[in-house]
């Protein structure tokens, strides 16, 4: 695959993550050749299984090293880049703000800078986040809503979002941000509250534990289904002009409703098992805003069809049948 310029060659950074897996699988099914990058060479059975029979290769890459990024772009000459890599947890961003910043902003800058040396047809998708809007906004947000992040992760994502817009204006690069609201799957790591709730409810239903300790249940989130979101990412790079999009279901639910639903699916009353633990409250926590999803529907023909109850059901089903890919 190396050294060939193929109109269908896509580079996916962060392929070992949740979205990386679903996007690589989706792109391969659409006939793309996929080069996925990771910081490590560690074996990854889930991806190795996916590679079987698919046009997919893995490449070790440190995205903080602009020369290494340049080398990989020269080697594969991708026509599309999907930048998904980066520290992706708000909670962890308080513990490592600097590492979070560089993994999101420096890697984005390196990809944009390196892409200037490539052919003009290159198109780049950057994974953004609803955390750029901050919390407790009264108004529905669009891509024109001013950013107001409230944690180190959101600040880094906001910087990357502005960097992409700047590169588009100054250099005319085809680059765009998908402002992603929460999207889940069985591949979500355990340190995300969604997966903690699902695994907790399943373990309690099996009699392996009795209590689940959680933080603030009154915050609202917009939860979607990850395999649907990667389809919108691919569609974004097929538009004639680059454009940022909000990718969300457009429906908000309290975390309490997510918990209640998870326990209901396994046949339990959540109030008998959940313990509210103030030590688990996060600084500057609050509700996410309501997302305006009209543009994605109008320009991409994309709508998130699985909303919170469906997401929970799918995750519980996978948990109970041990399907973690
Ligand atoms: P994951 O955390 O599952 O995967 C991200 C990948 O990035 C990891 O597999 C890892 O790959 C790489 N990575 C992790 N930390 C670093 C770091 N410090 N420096 C460089 N690379 C790192 O994320 P998702 O798949 O869930 O999300 C994909 C993207 O979408 C991320 O940018 C995330 O911030 C964003 N996003 C996701 C949302 C969601 O709900 N899932 C919501 C909003 C935004 P490796 O270790 O192999 O290098």
């Amino acid at each position: 695959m190396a050294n060939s310029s193929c109109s269908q060659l896509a580079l996916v950074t962060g392929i070992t993550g949740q979205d990386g897996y679903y996007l690589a699988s989706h792109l391969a099914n659409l006939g793309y050749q996929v080069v996925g990058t990771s910081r490590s060479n560690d074996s990854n059975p889930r991806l190795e299984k996916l590679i079987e029979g698919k046009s997919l290769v893995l490449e070790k890459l440190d995205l903080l090293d602009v020369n290494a990024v340049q080398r990989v772009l020269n080697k594969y000459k991708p026509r599309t880049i999907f930048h998904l890599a980066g520290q992706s947890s708000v909670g962890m961003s308080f513990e490592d703000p600097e590492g979070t910043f560089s993994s999101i902003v420096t890697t984005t800058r390196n990809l944009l800078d390196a892409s200037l040396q490539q052919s003009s047809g290159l198109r780049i998708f950057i994974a953004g986040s609803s955390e750029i809007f901050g919390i407790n906004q009264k108004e529905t947000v669009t891509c024109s809503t001013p950013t107001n992040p409230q944690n180190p992760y959101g600040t880094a994502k906001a910087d990357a979002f502005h960097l992409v817009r700047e590169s588009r204006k100054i250099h005319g690069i085809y680059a765009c941000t998908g402002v992603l609201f929460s999207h889940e799957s069985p591949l979500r790591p355990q340190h995300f509250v969604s997966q903690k709730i699902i695994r907790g409810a399943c373990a309690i239903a099996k009699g392996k534990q009795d209590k689940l300790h959680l933080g603030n249940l009154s915050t609202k989130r917009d939860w979607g289904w990850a395999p649907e979101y990667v389809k919108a990412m691919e569609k974004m790079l097929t538009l004639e002009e680059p454009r940022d999009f909000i990718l969300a279901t457009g429906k908000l639910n309290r975390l309490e409703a997510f918990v209640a639903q998870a326990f209901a699916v396994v046949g339990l009353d959540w109030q008998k098992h959940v313990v509210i633990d103030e030590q688990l409250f996060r600084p500057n926590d609050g509700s996410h805003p309501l997302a305006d999803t009209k543009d994605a529907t109008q320009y991409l023909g994309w709508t998130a069809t699985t909303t919170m109850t469906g997401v929970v059901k799918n995750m519980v089903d996978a948990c109970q049948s041990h399907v973690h890919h």
Side-chain angles (χ1 to χ4, degrees), residues 29-298:
N29 288 338
L30 290 176
Y32 284 76
Q33 294 183 357
V34 180
V35 176
T37 77
S38 164
R39 290 166 300 171
S40 85
N41 271 333
D42 294 351
S43 81
N44 184 317
R46 183 170 81 210
L47 280 176
E48 278 148 24
K49 192 149 175 254
L50 179 65
I51 287 169
E52 283 167 22
K54 296 252 165 63
S55 186
L56 206 159
V57 296
L58 301 181
E59 180 83 32
K60 186 177 171 189
L61 174 62
D62 175 7
L63 289 158
L64 296 174
D65 176 353
V66 70
N67 295 321
V69 173
Q70 193 74 69
R71 273 197 300 278
V72 167
L73 296 195
N74 287 339
K75 180 174 173 188
Y76 292 102
K77 303 209 180 319
R79 300 309 301 266
T80 52
I81 297 176
F82 295 88
H83 180 36
L84 309 180
Q87 200 292 98
S88 67
S89 147
V90 170
M92 286 186 183
S93 78
F94 288 104
E95 286 156 36
D96 182 15
E98 249 179 74
T100 299
F101 183 87
S102 59
S103 78
I104 292 170
V105 184
T106 310
T107 59
T108 300
R109 182 178 283 288
N110 285 348
L111 279 167
L112 293 170
D113 285 354
S115 74
L116 287 173
Q117 317 299 323
Q118 299 296 310
S119 76
S120 57
L122 180 59
R123 297 180 171 200
I124 308 175
F125 168 92
I126 306 286
S129 165
S130 55
E131 291 286 343
I132 66 174
F133 299 121
I135 51 170
N136 303 336
Q137 287 243 21
K138 298 249 166 1
E139 271 137 51
T140 302
V141 293
T142 69
C143 282
S144 312
T145 303
T147 55
N148 184 24
Q150 303 287 323
N151 54 59
Y153 171 79
T155 301
K157 286 291 190 189
D159 279 7
F161 176 72
H162 293 299
L163 193 59
V164 170
R165 292 197 153 176
E166 184 188 291
S167 298
R168 212 154 61 200
K169 278 197 197 124
I170 297 175
H171 303 292
I173 294 181
Y174 190 117
C176 48
T177 302
V179 180
L180 304 159
F181 281 61
S182 304
H183 48 284
E184 313 291 327
S185 79
L187 303 187
R188 262 299 212 193
Q190 172 90 38
H191 58 264
F192 284 88
V193 71
S194 51
Q195 189 67 287
K196 182 177 171 184
I197 293 164
I198 301 295
R199 300 247 178 111
C202 290
I204 291 169
K206 282 189 190 143
K208 290 186 180 163
Q209 67 187 64
D210 187 45
K211 299 289 179 202
L212 177 62
H213 289 249
L214 295 170
N216 180 7
L217 296 189
S218 68
T219 60
K220 291 182 183 166
R221 294 283 182 274
D222 177 325
W223 285 285
W225 183 236
E228 291 181 355
Y229 284 53
V230 300
K231 294 183 180 166
M233 296 177 189
E234 192 271 338
K235 279 175 186 273
M236 277 179 61
L237 295 193
T238 63
L239 297 185
E240 207 162 301
E241 296 293 329
R243 184 186 178 116
D244 303 325
F245 283 95
I246 292 215
L247 302 178
T249 68
K251 298 194 171 52
L252 282 176
N253 284 285
R254 282 157 61 97
L255 190 56
E256 186 184 296
F258 189 106
V259 172
Q261 178 68 16
F263 279 80
V265 174
V266 298
L268 294 172
D269 175 359
W270 71 275
Q271 282 168 304
K272 295 195 174 129
H273 300 281
V274 171
V275 179
I276 302 301
D277 184 346
E278 296 218 347
Q279 289 189 338
L280 296 174
F281 281 47
R282 198 189 261 168
N284 273 354
D285 198 11
S287 292
H288 279 188
L290 193 62
D292 183 336
T293 59
K294 283 198 286 296
D295 279 2
T297 307
Q298 182 179 342

